[in-house]
Amino acid sequence: MTLWGGRFSTKLNDQAWDLNSSLPVDQRMAIQDVEGSLAWADAIHKAGILSDDEHEQIALGLDTVKAEFSSGEFTFAPADEDIHTAVERRLSELVGAAAGKLHTGRSRNDQVATDFRLWMLGAIPQLDAALKDLQSALVEQAEAAEETVMPGYTHLQRAQPILLAHWWLSHYWPLERDRARLNDLIPRVAVLPLGCGALAGTPLNVDRAALAESLHFSEPAPNSLDAVSDRDFAAEFLFCTTLIGVHLSKLAEQIVLYTSAEFGFFELSDAYSTGSSLMPQKKNPDVFELTRGKAGTLLGLLTGLLATLKGLPSTYDKDLQEDKAAVFVAFDALTIMLPVLAGALRTITAKPERMRAAIDSTMMATDLADYLVNKGIPFRETHAIAGKAVCAALESQLGLEQMPLEAYQALSPAFEADVYQVFDPLSSIQKRNAIGGTSLQSVKNQIKQIKENQ
Ligand code: ARG
């Protein structure tokens, strides 16, 4: 039995039924649907719609339904159009006629939006915990990296030496912002649609503020028309998951590059790499490629929902049924990816000698310019002189550190024998000691800041 058969003379076409049915997706909100119904039963009992006895029967029945969902014993019927129908159908099997009063003053429009928000309020802490664990993996690696130096890149060209620890932590902070963004979303999710009816509000004398409190929402939605159509929280959630996906993808791209033979900066554990069916030598970073790939899928889910929302007439429109699948797919993708990434990063092996070998002395050309700045020459001039030194080194096929002192002094008389000290990558790193720089102390301070905020 559908919840709406009365005014129809024939049953819905089978294929139209399949199109319309949302049970495959929304059965995931079974527990939330029962919880919302328990709170609604309580509210309409207080409003005088349910007698004490009816309320008790409904509450006990809903508890049984909930237990059946939790234990996996619940059986869906072919006529269950959605999770709301399934719960009400089962309740009527358990308690009989009283079940028919539960939906008084309520619509599936305010009900589904409530279920979805309840689900999301449970999902956000789960994602947050998984992100936090990935952050811990990054910090563990940063601590293990000690004084390991590596090339830092801009434009994927060797730029300046950095600490490996600094690089690890550069992936910590985006996740910190992602977590803050997710948690900022909570107050906007915790606004209760229940009690708004189909669109115009409920005719019952329901205390919506108390209802909100009983479901741990912070307030009742202030406008019923907005309440049943507002899916901002779903779009915002998808923006959060997309940006998380983008951050993970950037990290993944670097791991893919750095595990290639050309870079050789890292080696993946066998437990997190895959082989080729044809080439016996291959060790592929599939975990990271999939992470990069999923970012595209996550972005598609966000743009898909925004496109669904953009032209909807007020208030509830069935297009909105598309919202949940997108959010669930995004949540599931991250729920699978995040622990795998944490494991893969915890077990990756850094190759400090390969990283060190990729630093050539031209990467200290900025330090060469700074050396002359310390001798009182304006940076604009010292930049040009250091550039000429790089040219001279390239022409004579020597490293900057191999060029004779006379060659330097021909470019500027300010060069002295101590100039060769600037070509030590660690000394270049140590100079970058202001907050946020790559020096050992600065990186230690980052870790301290991270630990203090945990
Ligand atoms: N299944 C719908 C959804 O997910 C909720 C039911 C509202 N249906 C209706 N005919 N008013 O959005």
Side-chain angles (χ1 to χ4, degrees):
M1 261 283 279
T2 61
L3 300 177
W4 42 266
R7 61 99 66 217
F8 292 86
S9 51
T10 58
K11 76 175 189 54
L12 183 64
N13 165 279
D14 285 347
Q15 287 167 324
W17 171 271
D18 291 343
L19 173 65
N20 189 53
S21 165
S22 56
L23 188 64
V25 172
D26 61 27
Q27 61 176 272
R28 188 168 177 156
M29 307 188 303
I31 298 290
Q32 291 80 6
D33 196 74
V34 176
E35 276 166 5
S37 293
L38 277 163
W40 185 246
D42 195 39
I44 62 172
H45 170 231
K46 289 191 179 114
I49 299 295
L50 298 181
S51 67
D52 291 350
D53 184 45
E54 286 165 337
H55 180 220
E56 199 184 324
Q57 285 183 50
I58 288 178
L60 284 174
L62 285 171
D63 282 341
T64 306
V65 176
K66 192 166 159 187
E68 288 180 358
F69 278 124
S70 301
S71 65
E73 279 164 45
F74 189 96
T75 355
F76 289 103
D80 291 343
E81 179 187 350
D82 51 33
I83 190 61
H84 326 296
T85 313
V87 170
E88 197 176 316
R89 188 259 314 149
R90 181 67 187 131
L91 182 66
S92 69
E93 288 166 9
L94 290 166
V95 308
K101 291 198 174 182
L102 173 63
H103 208 56
T104 319
R106 183 176 71 168
S107 156
R108 284 179 296 168
N109 299 352
D110 56 348
Q111 190 177 358
V112 73
T114 301
D115 292 1
F116 196 16
R117 285 169 184 265
L118 273 174
W119 177 88
M120 195 174 283
L121 290 170
I124 289 174
Q126 288 179 46
L127 265 189
D128 185 66
L131 285 165
K132 190 171 178 196
D133 186 55
L134 179 57
Q135 285 183 304
S136 301
L138 293 165
V139 175
E140 285 158 32
Q141 282 291 3
E143 287 184 306
E146 296 180 345
E147 297 192 8
T148 302
V149 297
M150 73 183 297
Y153 297 83
T154 60
H155 311 263
L156 201 55
Q157 308 293 318
R158 290 175 181 174
Q160 290 178 333
I162 55 172
L163 286 181
L164 171 60
H166 197 47
W167 178 83
W168 279 119
L169 295 179
S170 73
H171 295 286
Y172 173 94
W173 296 106
L175 301 180
E176 187 71 356
R177 295 191 293 275
D178 289 331
R179 289 181 57 206
R181 227 181 319 272
L182 269 176
N183 285 296
D184 285 350
L185 174 56
I186 291 174
R188 288 186 295 284
V189 186
V191 177
L192 183 74
L194 199 59
C196 285
L199 73 160
T202 184
L204 309 182
N205 186 19
V206 165
D207 179 351
R208 291 193 61 227
L211 184 60
E213 213 181 312
S214 71
L215 283 167
H216 308 293
F217 280 68
S218 43
E219 55 181 328
N223 180 303
S224 64
L225 305 178
D226 179 40
V228 295
S229 67
D230 172 18
R231 295 296 183 275
D232 291 3
F233 65 98
E236 283 193 64
F237 183 86
L238 289 176
F239 176 75
C240 290
T241 55
T242 300
L243 199 51
I244 293 167
V246 167
H247 292 148
L248 300 180
S249 179
K250 283 179 67 177
L251 167 60
E253 165 63 4
Q254 288 173 73
I255 299 286
V256 170
L257 280 175
Y258 291 172
T259 52
S260 68
E262 283 70 14
F263 280 86
F265 291 175
F266 291 112
E267 181 163 358
L268 290 177
S269 144
D270 283 0
Y272 290 96
S273 20
T274 37
S276 156
S277 60
L278 189 143
M279 299 166 283
Q281 86 284 7
K282 289 299 292 292
K283 182 168 173 181
N284 293 330
D286 288 27
V287 161
F288 293 94
E289 294 164 89
L290 288 165
T291 300
R292 200 175 53 192
K294 293 271 185 208
T297 303
L298 290 166
L299 170 61
L301 295 167
L302 169 65
T303 55
L305 180 67
L306 289 173
T308 298
L309 297 180
K310 73 173 263 300
L312 291 187
S314 166
T315 56
Y316 178 85
D317 302 279
K318 198 60 177 262
D319 318 43
L320 291 174
Q321 185 161 287
E322 295 298 307
D323 57 359
K324 286 169 288 302
V327 165
F328 294 161
V329 169
F331 175 80
D332 290 344
L334 290 180
T335 305
I336 292 179
M337 277 155 70
L338 287 164
V340 176
L341 282 174
L345 294 183
R346 282 195 167 98
T347 53
I348 205 168
T349 310
K351 302 280 175 192
E353 61 302 334
R354 288 294 304 248
M355 294 182 184
R356 176 65 187 83
I359 298 174
D360 67 69
S361 53
T362 60
M363 295 180 70
M364 271 67 78
T366 317
D367 301 276
L368 191 61
D370 291 342
Y371 169 90
L372 292 178
V373 167
N374 283 334
K375 308 259 175 191
I377 307 174
F379 179 73
R380 222 8 92 210
E381 280 174 45
T382 70
H383 183 282
I385 296 167
K388 287 202 179 98
V390 171
C391 270
L394 287 173
E395 262 165 37
S396 49
Q397 296 193 327
L398 292 171
L400 278 176
E401 78 288 9
Q402 296 166 323
M403 287 230 297
L405 183 58
E406 303 78 65
Y408 281 108
Q409 287 174 335
L411 293 170
S412 165
F415 281 119
E416 292 175 74
D418 62 353
V419 64
Y420 294 97
Q421 289 168 13
V422 306
F423 302 122
D424 171 22
L426 196 59
S427 89
S428 163
I429 284 168
Q430 287 293 62
K431 279 183 223 145
R432 278 138 182 102
N433 199 31
I435 293 171
T438 189
S439 78
L440 281 162
Q441 189 53 49
S442 180
V443 169
K444 269 199 191 112
N445 291 345
Q446 272 183 74
I447 294 177
K448 193 163 157 262
Q449 187 184 344
I450 287 166
K451 296 202 162 163
E452 278 168 6
N453 289 341
Q454 267 169 0

